[in-house]
Amino acid sequence: MITYEEQRHRALAGEGRWSELLGVYRQARAAAVVRGGEDWAGVETAPLGHLIAYAAPPELAVRLFDPDGGPGTAAGVADHDAGPLWEVLATRHSWLRLAPLLTPAPVRRLVAHTRVLIGEDLSYGAEPAPEGVPLLLEPWESAGWGEGARVREYLPSGGSCSALLTLPASREGLGPVTLPAPGARLRGQRATRALAALVGWADWAEVACVRGPAPQAVAQLAPGARVTGGYLSFAAAYPALVHAGVADRSHGSAHGRLALWRALAAMAGADGPDRAEVNALVARMRCFTWCDPADGLRHLHLAVEDPASGLSWAVGGSEEL
C-alpha cells in the first residue's frame, strides 16, 4: 500500500525538486536516529534514500552520504532498502561522474569496486585501492557471466532483481564420480578463515581444508561415496563466489568481490591481494563442483585445489528460500 508520504515524495521527484527531497530525507533520518539509533534510521529512511540515489542528478544524489547536513543526517555504508544505497547510486552513474563528487572514503571504495564489476576500467588514473584489489576486472572475473548479472538490477520505486546463488546451476557437463576417502582436515589455515568469512553469513555453508586433491575435500562435505560432479574453470565458479559474499540487503556485490580477493590471496600465501600472485593461483587451480539431491533454491558446492601447495578447500551447503 502506497502511503501519503510516498505519494508526496514521488510527486516531488516527478517535479525535479531534489533539493527539497534531500532536506526531507535528512530531517527524517536525524529524527529516526534519535528514536532508534543508526541501524534503525538506515532502514527506516531507506525507501526515500533509494528514490534519491536512483533518480536524482549525481551532484545531489551523492549528498545522501555527505555529513554536512549535521549529526545523523548522512547515509552510511549499511543503509539499505532493496540493497545498499551506495550500490543503487553506483548502478546509475559512471565513475567519471561520481569520482569528483563522492567524499566519504568507505563509500568511494565500494562505489568504485561496484563500477569495476559493472565493467568500468578504473586503473587508468583512479586512486589506488588500499587493499590492492585491482580496479579493473581480470579476464577470469568477466568471463563467467553477463554484465547485467554482476550487480543487482534496481527498480525506480524500490525493489531489485538479482541472480540466485547456485553452483552448479544444472547437471549439464557433470557425471557420476566415485569419491576417495576424505582427506584429513587441516585447522587454522588463514585461507580457510578467509573463505569462511566470505560465506560466514550463510549458516548453511560449511568450509573444509585438506592436504590432497579436490575430491578428498569434497568427501568431507558430500553425503556419500558417489556424487554427480565434474571439473569446471574458476571463471565459471567466480560469479557464485561473488554472490556468496553478498550477505543480505545491506551488502552489495563489491563486498563479495573484495572478500573473494582476500581469500584467493590467502590461498596463494600472499600477505594481501597481490594481482600477480592471485592470477598465478587462478591459472594453476583446479575446481570441482557437485550436486546434492537435497539442494535448495540457493546452493553452493565447490572445491578448489592448488597443486603448488597440495591443499584443497571445499565450500558446500544449500538453503530453501
Side-chain angles (χ1 to χ4, degrees):
M1 179 179 176
I2 299 176
T3 66
Y4 169 77
E5 281 297 305
E6 289 173 316
Q7 290 177 330
R8 185 170 73 92
H9 296 160
R10 291 182 188 182
L12 291 173
E15 296 169 9
R17 295 162 65 178
W18 296 110
S19 293
E20 190 173 337
L21 265 180
L22 178 65
V24 172
Y25 172 83
R26 287 176 164 181
Q27 289 176 357
R29 196 183 187 287
V33 168
V34 172
R35 292 197 306 272
E38 279 286 336
D39 291 344
W40 165 259
V43 175
E44 177 76 7
T45 58
L48 177 54
H50 179 108
L51 178 63
I52 295 170
Y54 186 94
E59 293 79 10
L60 188 134
V62 297
R63 295 182 63 197
L64 282 169
F65 309 98
D66 196 328
D68 65 356
T73 60
V77 295
D79 285 36
H80 65 278
D81 186 30
L85 299 186
W86 52 262
E87 187 173 71
V88 178
L89 177 68
T91 64
R92 302 298 295 160
H93 308 285
S94 71
W95 182 248
L96 186 65
R97 295 289 304 279
L98 294 173
L101 305 171
L102 274 171
T103 302
V107 175
R108 283 184 69 87
R109 168 176 170 264
L110 291 167
V111 168
H113 282 285
T114 304
R115 292 306 308 175
V116 169
L117 272 169
I118 289 171
E120 272 196 81
D121 178 357
L122 306 190
S123 64
Y124 55 85
E127 59 264 31
E131 287 184 293
V133 178
L135 289 169
L136 80 164
L137 290 180
E138 297 297 326
W140 48 268
E141 291 187 275
S142 57
W145 50 9
E147 290 187 9
R150 297 174 189 169
V151 179
R152 293 181 182 99
E153 178 186 354
Y154 289 100
L155 307 177
S157 59
S160 66
C161 304
S162 59
L164 278 175
L165 170 56
T166 55
L167 185 71
S170 72
R171 298 194 173 202
E172 184 178 354
L174 307 182
V177 176
T178 300
L179 296 174
R185 286 202 186 201
L186 300 179
R187 307 290 180 180
Q189 296 290 320
R190 183 163 60 94
T192 308
R193 292 195 298 270
L195 273 175
L198 174 69
V199 299
W201 61 275
D203 55 10
W204 46 264
E206 184 179 0
V207 180
C209 175
V210 307
R211 186 171 299 281
Q216 284 193 305
V218 174
Q220 279 283 355
L221 304 185
R226 286 176 64 84
V227 296
T228 299
Y231 286 91
L232 75 166
S233 68
F234 185 75
Y238 175 80
L241 290 171
V242 170
H243 286 159
V246 182
D248 53 33
R249 289 183 294 176
S250 68
H251 280 61
S253 294
H255 285 109
R257 181 178 188 245
L258 291 166
L260 180 52
W261 268 84
R262 287 192 288 269
L264 292 172
M267 288 180 191
D271 291 334
D274 181 277
R275 184 180 177 189
E277 293 279 0
V278 169
N279 279 333
L281 170 70
V282 170
R284 68 178 181 261
M285 199 158 49
R286 303 185 74 211
C287 302
F288 185 93
T289 188
W290 74 97
C291 297
D292 185 326
D295 278 343
L297 287 177
R298 290 204 300 185
H299 56 271
L300 175 63
H301 302 296
L302 179 70
V304 294
E305 171 189 336
D306 179 9
S309 67
L311 300 180
S312 295
W313 292 265
V315 183
S318 72
E319 178 187 43
E320 288 287 355
L321 294 181

